[in-house]
Amino acid sequence: MKTHVTVADVLQWIDDLAPFRFAETWDHCGLQVGDPQAEICALLVALDPTLSTIREAAQRRCQALVVHHPLFSKPQTSLFLDRPPGHNVAEAIRHNVHIISAHTNLDAASCGTNSVLAQAMNLNVVGSLESHPMEEADPRYLGLGLFGFLPEACSALELVQRLGQILHLQTVRLIGNPETPLHKVALCTGSGVSLLGRAKQNDCEAFITGDVKYHDAQSALDQGIVVIDIGHFASEALVVAPLAEALRAAARRHNAAVDVWTCTVESDPFLTVIFDDRRRKRLAGTIEISGGTADS
């Protein structure tokens, strides 16, 4: 006979995979909205606790939403229900959706965001960019940011093309010479540019991350290290499916009566608009003539 599952049970399953003690001190992980003792029969795994993912959870009759990014990034002194994050809280309560976040604890875990990206790249990992000595004995712990060797040396442009294929990206931002030969590289999912110096200290020729700002890009050029910005969303979205599968495996081990779904409505919030002179002329109603034939 299947056993009933509570929100607290799901929290324990996550803690077994990526202990909450791995989280950074500034982070807000764990149960963010809901009742630990509430029973659930289905849960949805997503990257963000947006209105769209909360509503998908409700449509799928999931009582829990497990996300990577926290709903609250800092302490709240008030909640206005007509705007985020209050609107999201109200929507979750209205639909009986309990929200759980596994953030930097998942980033640092051996099953987490950095590990999943490294595996997708077939990176031979040799170390982490930042780790806590007290956790290093735990096999579930890797640390924040990883570095290692590519299966084959390639140029920066070739690595960009490979990442575009792996992550199904239309555009990737490259900082540095596209012809730079690469073999040893570092990565940090999300907004990891604060670890750029660590990548350089470990003799990495390139650093892969998201959310790179202008002055950080200039600093990378000065330090002579290639930076590849694959975007925050793309760098972490890979973790959703394996996290869902890990929770399904936990449910099977505990003979638990719970269905686990992966989110289908999420996408990168950024759209890239590419301007082309020919396209702009056509949009303006201009027909170009080439070789005596109208180019429609």
Side-chain angles (χ1 to χ4, degrees), residues 241-259:
L243 177 57
E245 183 52 42
L247 292 173
R248 289 188 195 103
R252 289 193 294 270
R253 286 196 303 273
H254 292 87
N255 195 34
V258 62
D259 292 322

Side-chain angles (χ1 to χ4, degrees), residues 25-196:
T25 55
W26 50 264
D27 198 12
H28 300 274
C29 298
L31 181 60
Q32 298 217 304
V33 178
D35 176 3
Q37 303 310 316
E39 285 192 7
I40 66 170
C41 61
L43 64 88
L44 180 72
V45 180
L47 196 64
D48 293 289
T50 62
L51 291 175
S52 295
T53 58
I54 292 168
R55 287 166 181 165
E56 182 178 3
Q59 289 169 359
R60 290 182 177 274
R61 299 183 179 179
C62 296
Q63 297 78 34
L65 175 63
V66 176
V67 292
H68 181 48
H69 295 130
L71 181 57
F72 306 110
S73 58
K74 56 186 177 181
Q76 303 292 309
T77 57
S78 59
L79 281 177
F80 293 92
L81 303 187
D82 62 342
R83 68 197 73 166
H87 192 176
N88 305 57
V89 172
E91 194 77 354
I93 293 172
R94 186 178 299 119
H95 294 292
N96 190 34
V97 175
H98 307 260
I99 299 177
I100 299 169
S101 168
H103 192 211
T104 53
N105 60 312
L106 189 62
D107 288 330
S110 59
C111 64
T113 55
N114 288 280
S115 178
V116 169
L117 179 58
Q119 289 173 27
M121 294 174 57
N122 291 321
L123 189 69
N124 179 20
V125 175
V126 297
S128 63
L129 298 177
E130 182 177 275
S131 64
H132 299 296
M134 291 181 61
E135 305 295 352
E136 289 176 354
D138 193 321
R140 297 170 295 180
Y141 183 78
L142 277 184
L144 292 178
L146 303 174
F147 66 92
F149 294 94
L150 297 169
E152 294 181 0
C154 64
S155 70
L157 183 58
E158 288 170 334
L159 181 56
V160 165
Q161 292 170 330
R162 190 182 307 166
L163 286 165
Q165 292 172 349
I166 293 169
L167 302 173
H168 308 290
L169 298 174
Q170 296 297 316
T171 61
V172 176
R173 296 201 301 171
L174 172 64
I175 300 147
N177 186 343
E179 301 305 318
T180 302
L182 305 178
H183 190 204
K184 191 177 186 181
V185 304
L187 61 86
C188 184
T189 58
S191 301
V193 78
S194 63
L195 296 177
L196 177 64

Side-chain angles (χ1 to χ4, degrees), residues 1-6 8-17 246-258:
M1 182 176 180
K2 295 285 187 178
T3 58
H4 293 293
V5 176
T6 66
D9 291 326
V10 177
L11 286 165
Q12 185 59 59
W13 297 349
I14 295 171
D15 195 60
D16 291 340
L17 291 166
L247 292 173
R248 289 188 195 103
R252 289 193 294 270
R253 286 196 303 273
H254 292 87
N255 195 34
V258 62

Side-chain angles (χ1 to χ4, degrees), residues 207-220:
F207 183 53
I208 303 161
T209 190
D211 292 344
V212 178
K213 295 182 179 180
Y214 175 83
H215 294 293
D216 295 320
Q218 293 286 21
S219 177

